[in-house]
Structures are given as C-alpha cells and as structure tokens.
C-alpha cells in the first residue's frame, strides 16, 4: 500500500479497498490508539515504533479549534502514548490540544460547542461530546488549572439537564441559543428520528458518565451512567446477543443493521462501570459485557485474518441517514473492542 504520511485508515469501500482520512477527521486518533494498546499488551517494539510514527501524523491537530473531537483525536493517540510509554513531548502536544478544545466552551450555555453553527443550529452540542471530557480532566490533573475541571463538570451537568429524556435515553443533538443560552432544538443527525435512541449515542453517554464518575467521584455521574446502562440493557429491542441495532427505534427491527461500534463502546464502558457498584450489580454488567465480547469475537463480527481490509470487526454503522459507512469496518469499533478486551483481561 502506498500511503502519504498524513493519511490514516478509516474504513473500506465496496470493493474492499482501504479508505483513508486526513488527520482532521474525527477518527484519526483511533488507529494509532489501537497500536498503543497492542504495544501495551505485547511489549513488541514494532508496535511502539508504528504507534510513534502514526501518532505523529496527527500532531498538527493540537492547534485545531474548529472541532470538539480533539479528545478522540489526541487523547486516544498521544494520551495513550504518554500513559503507556511516557513519550517525550507528548504532554506538550496534549496541553496545547486541551487549550484548543477549551476555546469551544460557551459559558453562557455551560457546554463545549460540538459543531460550528450551521443552518438551523446556532450552537449544536451532541451527546458524543461527553467523550472529550476525559482529555480535559487529564489536562486539569496535569496542569492544576481548575478551569478544565469546571468546564467538564458544567458540560456534564448541562448535558444531564437537556440531553436526556425521562427514560434516560438521550437526544443526539441539542442546539442552544447563543444569546440566551437556552435550548433551541432537540434533534438527531445520525439517528432514525429526533425522538429515537441512536445506539452509538447511548454508548457515548454511558462511557462518558462512567469516566466522569471515575474522574470526579460525583455520585450524580454514577447514577446517570447506571440509568443509561439499564435503559440499554433492558430495552425490548436489545438483541439477545447484546450488539445493538444502529438505532433502538429503527423501524425495520429485526432486519435493521447492527452497529458493532456501539456494542464495543458499551462493552468497554460496562467493564469499567462493573467495578464501581456492588458485586451483584457489577456481575450483571460484566455478564452483558462478556456476552458482547463473545458475540464480537464470533465469525459473524470478527474478520478472518487478511480479510475485511485488515480491520478487526465487521458490521459497524457510521451514518444511515447520511448514507455513509453503512455495515462496514470502522477504526473506533476496533479501538474500543481492543480496549474492552484489555480491560476484561485485567479482571481475570
Ligand atoms: N462522533 C460521531 C459518531 O459517533 O459517529
């Protein structure tokens, strides 16, 4: 494969050919992050060398103030590299990136702005944004600057207030009025409908509040994570094998596409959550995560070596409404699957 050095793997096309992305794509950090995890697991210096090389392709995103996805992009790559291998210079990249992300905090709203304003949405904030807070909590600990902590807590609280329905499912997009700070719209972008429960969004929320409880010890974040977990696990449309349909309210269930990425993110979050509660509840979460790992490790989802463009998992969904990346391998499904396996391994 001839590849330009600023490109990263993204998925495959219908002919099975690798599709790449630039470092500015929100998923750029997942492949280098996977390499760091494989180095952590194996100690194989070839993985470390590859991880250092691929991670360096993203460095310029430290100055990107046009996206909220810097947590995914920089913390999965540089963050893991710093944690696992203490690579020189990585903490500087991360601190610059954390300051770039913090420029998107809107005090009048109490949230980090996700996407830039566009027709119909003055200040869109998506549930996925909960995933960027681990990065800012690292920046708080590293620098001692409490403004990072305050941003994370305020964003999490505003999201509890406005993104969640009474059953603890979440909207995908909440857009705010930039002058009054009030909610202007609650909609979807990647889900089936504004009132549906887009599966990966539920997983992002579950993972995000689990992290925020770990990082702050605030009970309300544990409560929120437990409510989300219970919504997902007990949903009548959750399949027996525990890999969600792409949307819990997809109209063509049981023929709707599954989303392996939603299952992998959920499994990883549940393993962490299982250690935060009493053993009976913890075991019940762990059983679900085990089931998800077993399903994802079955021939239905796990690619044969050398197939699937060399991605690990099949059957993820990027955006069905956007007709993009439907039933394909995706780097984040692989990243969170590896993470779930490593987390599970630590328990046994
Ligand atoms: N953060 C975008 C997605 O989950 O598709």
């Amino acid at each position: 494969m001839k590849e330009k050095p600023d490109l990263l793997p993204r998925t495959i096309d219908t002919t099975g050919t690798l599709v790449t992305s630039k470092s500015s794509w929100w998923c750029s950090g997942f492949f280098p992050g996977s390499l760091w995890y494989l180095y952590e697991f194996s100690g194989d210096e070839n993985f470390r060398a590859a991880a250092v090389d691929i991670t360096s392709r993203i460095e310029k995103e430290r100055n990107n103030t046009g996206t909220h996805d810097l947590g995914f992009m920089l913390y999965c790559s540089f963050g893991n590299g710093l944690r696992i291998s203490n690579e020189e210079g990585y903490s500087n990249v991360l601190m610059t990136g954390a300051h770039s992300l913090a420029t998107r905090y809107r005090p009048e709203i109490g949230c980090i702005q996700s996407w830039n304003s566009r027709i119909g949405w003055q200040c869109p904030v998506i549930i996925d944004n909960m995933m960027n807070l681990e990065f800012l909590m690292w920046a708080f600990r590293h620098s001692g600057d409490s403004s990072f902590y305050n941003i994370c807590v305020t964003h999490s609280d505003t999201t509890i207030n406005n993104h969640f329905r009474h059953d603890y499912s979440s909207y995908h997009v909440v857009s705010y009025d930039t002058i009054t700070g009030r909610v202007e719209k609650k909609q979807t972008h990647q889900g089936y409908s504004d009132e549906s429960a887009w599966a990966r969004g539920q997983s992002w929320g579950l993972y995000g509040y689990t992290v925020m409880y770990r990082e702050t010890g605030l009970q309300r974040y544990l409560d929120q994570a437990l409510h989300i977990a219970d919504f997902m696990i007990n949903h009548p449309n959750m399949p027996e094998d525990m890999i969600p349909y792409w949307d819990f309210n997809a109209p063509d269930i049981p023929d709707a596409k599954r989303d392996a990425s939603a299952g992998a993110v959920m499994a990883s979050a549940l393993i962490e959550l299982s250690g935060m509660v009493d053993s009976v509840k913890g075991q019940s979460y762990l059983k679900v995560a085990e089931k998800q790992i077993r399903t994802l490790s079955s021939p239905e989802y796990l690619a044969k070596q050398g197939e699937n463009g060399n991605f690990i998992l099949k059957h993820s969904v990027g955006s069905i409404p956007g007709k993009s990346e439907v039933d394909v391998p995706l780097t984040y499904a692989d990243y969170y699957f590896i993470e779930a396996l490593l987390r599970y391994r630590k328990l046994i």
Side-chain angles (χ1 to χ4, degrees):
M1 180 182 63
K2 197 157 179 274
E3 199 178 59
K4 289 193 195 138
D6 65 336
L7 296 180
L8 295 118
R10 175 171 168 171
T11 183
I12 53 174
D13 66 18
T14 49
T15 69
T17 307
L18 180 68
V19 177
T20 55
S21 74
K22 293 197 164 181
S23 61
S24 55
W25 178 238
W26 73 275
C27 303
S28 59
F30 294 120
F31 180 59
S34 296
L35 294 173
W36 281 117
Y37 276 145
L38 295 178
Y39 172 59
E40 181 176 33
F41 167 71
S42 66
D44 181 340
E45 285 300 321
N46 289 317
F47 278 124
R48 186 182 154 272
V52 168
D53 173 34
I54 306 289
T55 297
S56 70
R57 298 180 187 192
I58 312 173
E59 184 175 339
K60 65 173 183 288
E61 301 309 325
R62 61 176 13 188
N63 297 313
N64 185 344
T65 55
T67 177
H68 73 138
D69 284 319
L70 291 183
F72 284 130
M73 294 152 74
L74 296 177
Y75 200 61
C76 296
S77 54
F78 285 92
N80 273 317
L82 183 67
R83 179 182 63 80
I84 295 163
S85 191
N86 201 21
E87 294 293 324
E88 205 185 326
Y90 278 24
S91 57
N92 288 340
V93 173
L94 288 164
M95 276 314 301
T96 307
H99 282 288
S100 296
L101 177 54
T103 65
R104 298 184 70 80
Y105 180 66
R106 306 288 173 249
E108 63 284 6
I109 293 166
C111 274
I112 300 165
Q113 180 162 359
S114 293
W115 302 321
N116 294 340
S117 306
R118 53 178 86 173
I119 294 170
W121 292 332
Q122 290 184 42
C123 179
V125 178
I126 61 175
I127 187 66
D128 322 29
N129 207 338
M130 286 301 301
M131 296 297 287
N132 293 306
L133 303 184
E134 188 173 14
F135 178 30
L136 294 187
M137 289 302 293
W138 170 86
F140 160 62
R141 291 193 201 298
H142 184 77
S143 65
D145 181 347
S146 59
S147 62
F148 291 115
Y149 178 95
N150 293 334
I151 288 173
C152 291
V153 168
T154 311
H155 182 99
S156 301
D157 291 344
T158 306
T159 301
I160 287 179
N161 289 338
N162 295 329
H163 259 84
F164 287 87
R165 307 182 183 100
H166 291 304
D167 62 1
Y168 296 99
S169 67
S170 56
Y171 289 92
H172 183 200
V173 186
V174 174
S175 183
Y176 294 87
D177 184 304
T178 48
I179 294 170
T180 64
R182 291 202 199 105
V183 172
E184 60 160 7
K185 280 174 190 159
K186 297 189 180 193
Q187 296 188 302
T188 196
H189 185 59
Q190 283 159 259
Y192 165 63
S193 72
D194 291 344
E195 292 301 326
S196 72
W198 172 51
R200 194 164 55 254
Q202 313 310 302
S203 293
W204 292 144
L206 170 65
Y207 193 114
Y209 281 100
T210 303
V211 166
M212 279 305 290
Y213 177 64
R214 180 223 298 152
E215 294 295 324
T216 66
L218 292 169
Q219 181 67 34
R220 60 184 181 272
Y221 300 148
L222 178 61
D223 293 343
Q224 193 71 12
L226 298 176
H227 285 311
I228 300 168
D230 294 344
F231 168 80
M232 297 178 82
I233 292 168
N234 300 323
H235 197 287
N237 288 339
M238 174 62 101
E240 201 260 326
D241 65 15
M242 289 290 161
I243 304 304
Y245 297 101
W246 70 279
D247 191 301
F248 283 95
N249 306 105
D252 51 343
I253 289 173
D255 298 323
K257 298 281 184 210
R258 304 292 192 93
D259 182 9
S261 76
V265 174
M266 185 179 171
S268 187
L270 284 178
I271 294 169
E272 177 160 30
L273 191 59
S274 73
M276 296 169 163
V277 288
D278 67 68
S279 64
V280 174
K281 194 138 184 85
Q283 279 306 314
S284 74
Y285 289 149
L286 211 48
K287 268 184 87 134
V288 174
E290 277 168 1
K291 182 94 180 168
Q292 291 172 318
I293 288 173
R294 281 188 197 287
T295 307
L296 293 175
S297 305
S298 73
E300 175 63 12
Y301 286 93
L302 191 72
K304 288 200 185 115
Q305 222 175 336
E307 295 183 2
N308 201 37
N310 293 311
F311 287 83
I312 301 170
L313 293 179
K314 303 179 272 184
H315 305 313
S316 287
V317 166
S319 174
I320 284 193
K323 297 187 175 53
S324 163
E325 300 175 337
V326 177
D327 200 3
V328 292
L330 289 166
T331 50
Y332 42 102
D334 288 2
Y335 175 87
Y336 288 103
F337 180 55
I338 296 169
E339 184 181 86
L341 291 170
L342 294 181
R343 286 181 171 184
Y344 187 69
R345 195 167 175 265
K346 284 196 181 135
L347 300 180
I348 52 177

